[in-house]
């Protein structure tokens, strides 16, 4: 009986998604210390609480909780991988995984200027690069050659 060969769907979206998930656990930014992607929302929440405690305003600051949308990046990358393994279309999840990191970089650049580039660490650069590759694939600018 011949063994059935299992072929994994290897495309640039799946490779970029794996890189995004891997990079999420590497240091992303440097603010007195290095912080991985999963640590940033808690760090921002703590800073926001200290800021509101200092001013005694007690106002609801959406920016403190908006940073938790950062978790959508690896979640959407997992969705890309699962969709690829099941042979389904992963474009929506890939758009989320591609646009959010690039939008975060643009937001940081507008808020902090060139200083944002000096604070980004390995995980952040890997995520930005993988998001850029995803965006180029989604815009049909970059393609992986067919294997025959």
């Amino acid at each position: 009986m011949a063994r059935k060969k299992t072929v994994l769907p290897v495309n640039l979206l799946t490779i970029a998604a794996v890189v995004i998930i891997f990079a999420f656990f590497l240091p992303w930014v440097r603010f007195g210390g290095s912080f991985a992607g999963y640590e940033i929302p808690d760090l921002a929440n703590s800073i926001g609480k200290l800021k509101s405690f200092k001013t005694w305003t007690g106002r609801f600051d959406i920016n403190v909780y908006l940073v938790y949308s950062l978790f959508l990046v690896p979640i959407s990358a997992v969705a890309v991988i699962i969709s690829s393994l099941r042979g389904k279309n992963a474009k929506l999840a890939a758009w989320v995984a591609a646009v959010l990191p690039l939008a975060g970089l643009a937001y940081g650049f507008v808020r902090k200027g060139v200083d944002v580039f000096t604070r980004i660490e390995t995980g952040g650069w890997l995520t930005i690069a993988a998001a850029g590759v995803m965006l180029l694939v989604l815009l049909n600018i970059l393609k992986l050659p067919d294997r025959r």
Side-chain angles (χ1 to χ4, degrees):
M1 181 178 205
R3 287 183 78 174
K4 199 175 183 182
K5 187 176 179 183
T6 304
V7 178
L8 293 176
V10 177
N11 59 37
L12 287 176
L13 287 179
T14 308
I15 294 168
V18 169
V19 170
I20 286 174
I21 293 168
F22 174 72
F24 194 66
F25 297 99
L26 294 175
W28 269 27
V29 292
R30 186 176 342 126
F31 289 111
S34 293
F35 298 97
Y38 68 92
E39 296 173 313
I40 294 171
D42 291 334
L43 175 69
N45 192 10
S46 298
I47 291 171
K49 284 180 181 176
L50 286 174
K51 183 179 167 185
S52 68
F53 181 73
K54 180 181 170 188
T55 59
W56 294 94
T57 60
R59 294 181 311 158
F60 176 74
D61 187 8
I62 189 71
N63 292 325
V64 172
Y65 298 100
L66 192 59
V67 76
Y68 281 99
S69 66
L70 185 65
F71 286 117
L72 290 175
V73 176
I75 290 170
S76 59
V78 168
V80 169
I81 294 168
I82 291 172
S83 296
S84 293
L85 289 174
R86 296 182 70 206
K88 305 284 184 184
N89 189 345
K91 285 195 175 187
L92 178 62
W95 276 105
V96 172
V99 170
L100 280 179
L102 298 174
L105 177 65
Y107 177 77
F109 181 72
V110 168
R111 296 284 300 224
K112 298 293 181 188
V114 179
D115 185 46
V116 74
F117 296 113
T118 62
R119 296 195 180 273
I120 297 176
E121 296 224 1
T122 308
W125 287 119
L126 281 173
T127 302
I128 290 166
V133 167
M134 274 189 165
L135 191 61
L136 292 174
V137 169
L138 290 168
L139 295 173
N140 291 323
I141 296 172
L142 192 60
K143 293 182 182 179
L144 189 66
D146 289 332
R147 292 179 291 166
R148 298 206 185 218

